[in-house]
Amino acid sequence: MNAPNTRPSEPVSTVVRDPDSVDAAIESRFSARAFLQRAVPRETIEHLLRVASRAPSGTNTQPWKVYVLQGAARDSLVQKVCAAHDALAADPALAAEYREEYDYYPEKWVSPYIDRRRACGWGLYGALGIGKTDKARMHAQHQRNFRFFDAPVGMMFTIDRILGRGSLLDYGMFLQNIMVAARARGLHTCPQAAWNGFAKIVLPHIGAGADEMLVCGMALGYADESAPENHFRTEREPVEAFTHWLA
């Protein structure tokens, strides 16, 4: 039997003895939006990244590059981007300066995707008691992204621009591995595309090279169980709604 917390030497013959725990780690993952000020040991973060690196990637290209922010490095990035976010709200004309480098969302929204997006947004705001006309509170809640929702650990993920779109698919599997492995250790996460528009601030701050593109950020820590936003859950379509069986 393999020792705990070590990678099996023979994956082909490895038996997953507790499949329910694997399912629980996946199914209990959600985007936590409030964290406790409880430190996460570096060795724990390193373990999560080591496990996540077993994600598949086309021809084993392993396109991920990770920057872990804690302490002063985290706090100073928060200050910079929150200031830019406030300035953008005050002068929408600045939007031209803060553009995402790749299209995370479609230019034109259609059903059913726009319906799910709206249900997600208004469901979260409803849990927080934010009304549709309360622009100030909407802005403040959106800015919570740029505070990593108070998580003590922020991560930024970049990719070499020379790589193709398939590498972003590989990257998604790497990110999911981090989030599932985190759940196995009592941690929660929030993957964050919100940072992408502020890449011109983020990339120099983390010391990324000129050939790197920001993929997303992620908050990591211990979720605040008392926060109402952490009890909001998005719906999932039933298997029969998205599956076609062919024989």
Side-chain angles (χ1 to χ4, degrees):
M1 184 174 178
N2 296 311
N5 299 325
T6 60
R7 183 167 62 87
S9 58
E10 292 294 337
V12 174
S13 60
T14 296
V15 176
V16 177
R17 300 187 183 279
D18 187 5
D20 287 343
S21 290
V22 178
D23 290 353
I26 296 170
E27 294 181 334
S28 65
R29 186 222 63 82
F30 71 100
S31 294
R33 293 181 174 88
F35 290 85
L36 301 174
Q37 293 299 303
R38 178 180 171 188
V40 181
R42 175 169 175 160
E43 55 268 27
T44 299
I45 303 170
E46 289 177 343
H47 180 83
L48 299 180
L49 295 173
R50 184 168 59 252
V51 170
S53 73
R54 297 306 306 175
S57 59
T59 63
N60 198 34
T61 48
Q62 303 177 62
W64 35 82
K65 293 185 179 181
V66 185
Y67 296 84
V68 181
L69 295 108
Q70 297 171 282
R74 172 204 173 281
D75 295 346
S76 59
L77 179 62
V78 165
Q79 292 172 2
K80 291 176 185 177
V81 177
C82 284
H85 184 241
D86 285 338
L88 181 58
D91 183 6
L94 293 174
E97 297 183 25
Y98 299 108
R99 293 190 181 278
E100 298 178 349
E101 196 161 343
Y102 71 96
D103 294 331
Y104 187 91
Y105 293 113
E107 291 185 7
K108 181 180 179 181
W109 285 94
V110 298
S111 185
Y113 312 111
I114 185 61
D115 308 312
R116 295 169 185 164
R117 176 182 173 87
R118 286 170 176 162
C120 178
W122 292 123
L124 174 62
Y125 286 157
L128 292 167
I130 300 175
K132 292 185 178 182
T133 60
D134 196 341
K135 302 300 183 183
R137 289 191 65 195
M138 288 182 189
H139 175 77
Q141 179 58 32
H142 188 244
Q143 191 169 102
R144 295 273 296 149
N145 277 282
F146 310 124
R147 300 181 186 279
F148 293 106
F149 299 105
D150 297 329
V153 181
M155 290 187 281
M156 291 293 166
F157 302 93
T158 71
I159 190 171
D160 282 336
R161 290 190 176 89
I162 197 172
L163 294 174
R165 286 183 292 178
S167 290
L168 289 175
L169 177 64
D170 301 337
Y171 222 121
M173 292 183 276
F174 171 71
L175 295 171
Q176 178 75 354
N177 274 1
I178 295 174
M179 293 185 279
V180 172
R183 286 302 304 120
R185 281 152 187 82
L187 293 157
H188 277 286
T189 55
C190 185
Q192 300 172 279
W195 290 95
N196 293 4
F198 296 96
K200 63 180 290 185
I201 299 174
V202 174
L203 294 174
H205 182 89
I206 62 178
D211 57 346
E212 293 176 57
M213 179 179 76
L214 184 63
V215 174
C216 68
M218 184 183 291
L220 170 71
Y222 294 93
D224 182 352
E225 295 182 8
S226 68
E229 57 266 50
N230 282 344
H231 294 279
F232 167 67
R233 295 291 178 271
T234 52
E235 298 293 331
R236 292 295 186 270
E237 293 294 309
V239 172
E240 58 268 24
F242 60 79
T243 306
H244 300 271
W245 300 92
L246 307 175

